[in-house]
Amino acid sequence: MNSKKIASYGLFIALAFIFSYIESLIPIPFPVPGIKLGLANLVVIIAIYGIGLKEAFVLSMVRILLVGFTFRDPSTLIFSFAGGLLSWLTMAIFKKLKLFSMVGVSILGGIAHNIGQIIVAIMYVNNTSLIYYLPLLMISGVVSGTLIGILGALILKRLNKFLD
Amino acid sequence: MKKNDLFLIGGIIVFVFVAFLLLLIFRTEGSKVLITIDGKEHKTFNINEDTTYNILLDNGEWNILEIKDGYVKMLDASCPDKLCVKHNKIRYNTESITCLPNGVDIRVIGGEESDLDAIAK
């Protein structure tokens, strides 16, 4: 690992960490568990396109660990890991398929994140009816995913000359 | 943005619209209220008998549940996010209020089995 790579890891992880904190300060006007902006996902998707899939995976997992032990209860880690893992996997697959731009990939990543969390919640409280939250969460995934995708593309364009 | 992105967004919106419509059409009235703690059955109430019940957990956490006029509602809870308290009141079969931090889940059950469940099986 060269020093430039180490520096960009540090930068990206710090950024994702701070974004998670900012996200926790923004009140969401909907009383539905799982609806959020996904600001941290902005950093992850930029990493996927700007550095690489592997690096984005490490970044995402380190962020979840850090956030889990600082701003959140560590007992929520399993939810974050399930969401983060499925989201990363989905975005990685759809990036390779080249079907969608960053917007489409980010939407699918957001929805996958919610699906991962719902699966864990279903197992946790033993109630399959929680799946009925999915349509609502898909709408929030489309809205936040579109915003994050557009923002990500704009930022990536400006970052590209530093990343290469 | 590619054209495919718009198809994706459109597709998701149509899917969600149809899903909501189906849920609305096939929903049935519930008859019982089941409380589970960490996935294990705790207590069952009749949805038509007004009552207030305090769910006390072994670790000191608590959720207060109210059944009134056929609706179930979480009045208050010790959890940090209070998402369960902000949740709309529920009355239809399979609707639920979940308090993830406390591991408490309240769901409406019973009634006749809805057609959607039959299809799902």
Side-chain angles (χ1 to χ4, degrees), chain B residues 8-74:
Chain B
L8 177 70
I9 294 172
I12 293 170
I13 290 173
V14 170
F15 173 84
V16 170
F17 185 74
V18 171
F20 275 136
L21 212 66
L22 286 177
L23 286 174
L24 205 69
I25 292 170
F26 291 113
R27 74 179 179 187
T28 51
E29 304 267 336
S31 63
K32 286 190 203 113
V33 181
L34 170 69
I35 304 169
T36 62
I37 299 171
D38 292 329
K40 280 186 275 301
E41 210 172 313
H42 173 69
K43 208 170 167 67
T44 312
F45 287 100
N46 186 329
I47 200 165
N48 293 314
E49 282 167 26
D50 293 2
T51 181
T52 310
Y53 179 69
N54 192 352
I55 306 162
L56 257 175
L57 306 184
D58 296 336
N59 58 10
E61 304 292 337
W62 48 269
N63 292 67
I64 300 173
L65 156 105
E66 183 194 59
I67 303 174
K68 203 179 160 197
D69 305 327
Y71 283 96
V72 189
K73 192 175 181 315
M74 196 78 87

Side-chain angles (χ1 to χ4, degrees), chain A residues 16-36:
Chain A
F17 189 43
I18 283 299
F19 275 13
S20 302
Y21 176 64
I22 294 173
E23 169 114 44
S24 74
L25 297 179
I26 304 173
I28 301 287
F30 309 103
V32 177
I35 287 190
K36 57 180 175 186

Side-chain angles (χ1 to χ4, degrees), chain A:
Chain A
M1 216 195 296
N2 61 34
S3 52
K4 186 169 179 184
K5 204 160 188 185
I6 294 171
S8 37
Y9 258 129
L11 212 73
F12 271 80
I13 289 171
L15 204 58
F17 189 43
I18 283 299
F19 275 13
S20 302
Y21 176 64
I22 294 173
E23 169 114 44
S24 74
L25 297 179
I26 304 173
I28 301 287
F30 309 103
V32 177
I35 287 190
K36 57 180 175 186
L37 265 170
L39 273 181
N41 196 41
L42 179 62
V43 186
V44 176
I45 198 166
I46 289 173
I48 283 182
Y49 279 86
I51 339 180
L53 294 178
K54 245 192 357 250
E55 289 80 355
F57 177 77
V58 175
L59 156 77
S60 173
M61 294 300 123
V62 172
R63 176 196 76 87
I64 288 170
L65 264 182
L66 285 174
V67 172
F69 282 105
T70 48
F71 311 132
R72 295 206 195 110
D73 194 320
S75 67
T76 63
L77 270 175
I78 175 81
F79 290 91
S80 309
F81 275 124
L85 218 73
L86 206 62
S87 165
W88 172 82
L89 190 70
T90 307
M91 291 197 287
I93 290 169
F94 280 97
K95 191 209 169 222
K96 291 248 169 183
L97 287 177
K98 292 191 171 46
L99 270 172
F100 307 110
S101 77
M102 260 174 103
V103 174
V105 171
S106 142
I107 290 172
L108 289 165
I111 292 174
H113 191 275
N114 285 328
I115 292 176
Q117 297 200 313
I118 286 180
I119 292 172
V120 176
I122 284 175
M123 294 193 292
Y124 188 54
V125 298
N126 198 8
N127 181 0
T128 46
S129 300
L130 295 185
I131 195 79
Y132 295 131
Y133 278 118
L134 192 58
L136 208 60
L137 292 177
M138 283 173 87
I139 290 293
S140 105
V142 167
V143 175
S144 62
T146 306
L147 285 172
I148 297 292
I150 292 172
L151 258 176
L154 287 173
I155 294 170
L156 192 68
K157 217 163 41 181
R158 285 158 180 76
L159 269 184
N160 258 337
K161 53 175 174 271
F162 300 104
L163 291 173
D164 296 326

